[in-house]
PDB file of all heavy atoms in Angstrom:
ATOM      1  N   PHE A  18     133.547-111.603 145.568  1.00 98.00           N
ATOM      2  CA  PHE A  18     134.914-111.577 146.081  1.00 98.00           C
ATOM      3  C   PHE A  18     135.317-110.144 146.445  1.00 98.00           C
ATOM      4  O   PHE A  18     135.874-109.887 147.520  1.00 98.00           O
ATOM      5  CB  PHE A  18     135.850-112.151 145.011  1.00 98.00           C
ATOM      6  CG  PHE A  18     137.308-112.175 145.371  1.00 98.00           C
ATOM      7  CD1 PHE A  18     137.877-113.310 145.936  1.00 98.00           C
ATOM      8  CD2 PHE A  18     138.125-111.077 145.126  1.00 98.00           C
ATOM      9  CE1 PHE A  18     139.235-113.353 146.248  1.00 98.00           C
ATOM     10  CE2 PHE A  18     139.479-111.105 145.433  1.00 98.00           C
ATOM     11  CZ  PHE A  18     140.030-112.237 146.002  1.00 98.00           C
ATOM     12  N   VAL A  19     135.040-109.194 145.545  1.00 98.00           N
ATOM     13  CA  VAL A  19     135.399-107.792 145.779  1.00 98.00           C
ATOM     14  C   VAL A  19     134.546-107.192 146.887  1.00 98.00           C
ATOM     15  O   VAL A  19     135.046-106.464 147.759  1.00 98.00           O
ATOM     16  CB  VAL A  19     135.241-106.984 144.475  1.00 98.00           C
ATOM     17  CG1 VAL A  19     135.386-105.488 144.731  1.00 98.00           C
ATOM     18  CG2 VAL A  19     136.270-107.447 143.442  1.00 98.00           C
ATOM     19  N   GLN A  20     133.263-107.501 146.897  1.00 98.00           N
ATOM     20  CA  GLN A  20     132.334-106.909 147.857  1.00 98.00           C
ATOM     21  C   GLN A  20     132.678-107.278 149.297  1.00 98.00           C
ATOM     22  O   GLN A  20     132.399-106.504 150.232  1.00 98.00           O
ATOM     23  CB  GLN A  20     130.904-107.354 147.538  1.00 98.00           C
ATOM     24  CG  GLN A  20     129.842-106.770 148.458  1.00 98.00           C
ATOM     25  CD  GLN A  20     129.749-105.250 148.374  1.00 98.00           C
ATOM     26  OE1 GLN A  20     129.870-104.677 147.286  1.00 98.00           O
ATOM     27  NE2 GLN A  20     129.540-104.604 149.509  1.00 98.00           N
ATOM     28  N   PHE A  21     133.299-108.417 149.512  1.00 98.00           N
ATOM     29  CA  PHE A  21     133.579-108.882 150.869  1.00 98.00           C
ATOM     30  C   PHE A  21     134.379-107.852 151.667  1.00 98.00           C
ATOM     31  O   PHE A  21     134.131-107.643 152.858  1.00 98.00           O
ATOM     32  CB  PHE A  21     134.327-110.215 150.847  1.00 98.00           C
ATOM     33  CG  PHE A  21     134.686-110.717 152.221  1.00 98.00           C
ATOM     34  CD1 PHE A  21     133.717-111.293 153.034  1.00 98.00           C
ATOM     35  CD2 PHE A  21     135.976-110.604 152.711  1.00 98.00           C
ATOM     36  CE1 PHE A  21     134.027-111.749 154.313  1.00 98.00           C
ATOM     37  CE2 PHE A  21     136.305-111.055 153.979  1.00 98.00           C
ATOM     38  CZ  PHE A  21     135.325-111.626 154.783  1.00 98.00           C
ATOM     39  N   HIS A  22     135.333-107.194 151.018  1.00 98.00           N
ATOM     40  CA  HIS A  22     136.164-106.216 151.725  1.00 98.00           C
ATOM     41  C   HIS A  22     135.317-105.065 152.265  1.00 98.00           C
ATOM     42  O   HIS A  22     135.515-104.620 153.409  1.00 98.00           O
ATOM     43  CB  HIS A  22     137.252-105.678 150.798  1.00 98.00           C
ATOM     44  CG  HIS A  22     138.178-104.698 151.458  1.00 98.00           C
ATOM     45  ND1 HIS A  22     139.277-105.085 152.185  1.00 98.00           N
ATOM     46  CD2 HIS A  22     138.154-103.336 151.521  1.00 98.00           C
ATOM     47  CE1 HIS A  22     139.895-104.022 152.663  1.00 98.00           C
ATOM     48  NE2 HIS A  22     139.233-102.940 152.262  1.00 98.00           N
ATOM     49  N   TYR A  23     134.374-104.567 151.461  1.00 97.00           N
ATOM     50  CA  TYR A  23     133.527-103.460 151.907  1.00 97.00           C
ATOM     51  C   TYR A  23     132.664-103.881 153.092  1.00 97.00           C
ATOM     52  O   TYR A  23     132.478-103.115 154.040  1.00 97.00           O
ATOM     53  CB  TYR A  23     132.648-102.971 150.759  1.00 97.00           C
ATOM     54  CG  TYR A  23     133.419-102.544 149.544  1.00 97.00           C
ATOM     55  CD1 TYR A  23     133.457-103.342 148.401  1.00 97.00           C
ATOM     56  CD2 TYR A  23     134.120-101.349 149.522  1.00 97.00           C
ATOM     57  CE1 TYR A  23     134.168-102.950 147.280  1.00 97.00           C
ATOM     58  CE2 TYR A  23     134.841-100.950 148.399  1.00 97.00           C
ATOM     59  CZ  TYR A  23     134.862-101.763 147.279  1.00 97.00           C
ATOM     60  OH  TYR A  23     135.569-101.387 146.170  1.00 97.00           O
ATOM     61  N   ASP A  24     132.139-105.095 153.038  1.00 98.00           N
ATOM     62  CA  ASP A  24     131.297-105.584 154.126  1.00 98.00           C
ATOM     63  C   ASP A  24     132.099-105.747 155.413  1.00 98.00           C
ATOM     64  O   ASP A  24     131.610-105.425 156.500  1.00 98.00           O
ATOM     65  CB  ASP A  24     130.660-106.922 153.740  1.00 98.00           C
ATOM     66  CG  ASP A  24     129.727-106.812 152.547  1.00 98.00           C
ATOM     67  OD1 ASP A  24     129.240-105.688 152.277  1.00 98.00           O
ATOM     68  OD2 ASP A  24     129.491-107.836 151.871  1.00 98.00           O
ATOM     69  N   LEU A  25     133.328-106.232 155.294  1.00 98.00           N
ATOM     70  CA  LEU A  25     134.147-106.500 156.470  1.00 98.00           C
ATOM     71  C   LEU A  25     134.569-105.218 157.176  1.00 98.00           C
ATOM     72  O   LEU A  25     134.701-105.196 158.403  1.00 98.00           O
ATOM     73  CB  LEU A  25     135.381-107.312 156.058  1.00 98.00           C
ATOM     74  CG  LEU A  25     136.279-107.831 157.185  1.00 98.00           C
ATOM     75  CD1 LEU A  25     135.523-108.826 158.074  1.00 98.00           C
ATOM     76  CD2 LEU A  25     137.533-108.490 156.607  1.00 98.00           C
ATOM     77  N   TYR A  26     134.757-104.144 156.410  1.00 98.00           N
ATOM     78  CA  TYR A  26     135.292-102.910 156.997  1.00 98.00           C
ATOM     79  C   TYR A  26     134.270-101.781 157.080  1.00 98.00           C
ATOM     80  O   TYR A  26     134.631-100.660 157.448  1.00 98.00           O
ATOM     81  CB  TYR A  26     136.521-102.451 156.200  1.00 98.00           C
ATOM     82  CG  TYR A  26     137.710-103.323 156.489  1.00 98.00           C
ATOM     83  CD1 TYR A  26     137.992-104.428 155.678  1.00 98.00           C
ATOM     84  CD2 TYR A  26     138.521-103.096 157.593  1.00 98.00           C
ATOM     85  CE1 TYR A  26     139.062-105.262 155.960  1.00 98.00           C
ATOM     86  CE2 TYR A  26     139.588-103.917 157.889  1.00 98.00           C
ATOM     87  CZ  TYR A  26     139.851-104.993 157.067  1.00 98.00           C
ATOM     88  OH  TYR A  26     140.901-105.832 157.358  1.00 98.00           O
ATOM     89  N   ARG A  27     133.020-102.071 156.790  1.00 96.00           N
ATOM     90  CA  ARG A  27     131.996-101.028 156.857  1.00 96.00           C
ATOM     91  C   ARG A  27     131.922-100.442 158.267  1.00 96.00           C
ATOM     92  O   ARG A  27     131.845-101.163 159.254  1.00 96.00           O
ATOM     93  CB  ARG A  27     130.644-101.576 156.428  1.00 96.00           C
ATOM     94  CG  ARG A  27     129.560-100.489 156.356  1.00 96.00           C
ATOM     95  CD  ARG A  27     128.292-100.993 155.709  1.00 96.00           C
ATOM     96  NE  ARG A  27     128.514-101.251 154.278  1.00 96.00           N
ATOM     97  CZ  ARG A  27     128.505-102.442 153.727  1.00 96.00           C
ATOM     98  NH1 ARG A  27     128.300-103.516 154.471  1.00 96.00           N
ATOM     99  NH2 ARG A  27     128.702-102.588 152.430  1.00 96.00           N
ATOM    100  N   GLY A  28     131.983 -99.115 158.338  1.00 93.00           N
ATOM    101  CA  GLY A  28     131.895 -98.434 159.622  1.00 93.00           C
ATOM    102  C   GLY A  28     133.228 -98.209 160.301  1.00 93.00           C
ATOM    103  O   GLY A  28     133.297 -97.507 161.316  1.00 93.00           O
ATOM    104  N   ASN A  29     134.320 -98.769 159.752  1.00 97.00           N
ATOM    105  CA  ASN A  29     135.643 -98.556 160.327  1.00 97.00           C
ATOM    106  C   ASN A  29     136.141 -97.178 159.914  1.00 97.00           C
ATOM    107  O   ASN A  29     136.243 -96.881 158.724  1.00 97.00           O
ATOM    108  CB  ASN A  29     136.607 -99.647 159.858  1.00 97.00           C
ATOM    109  CG  ASN A  29     137.965 -99.567 160.534  1.00 97.00           C
ATOM    110  OD1 ASN A  29     138.684 -98.587 160.385  1.00 97.00           O
ATOM    111  ND2 ASN A  29     138.317-100.612 161.260  1.00 97.00           N
TER     112      ASN A  29
END
Side-chain angles (χ1 to χ4, degrees):
F18 179 94
V19 171
Q20 181 63 39
F21 178 76
H22 182 85
Y23 303 105
D24 297 338
L25 187 64
Y26 286 93
R27 185 170 291 112
N29 186 297

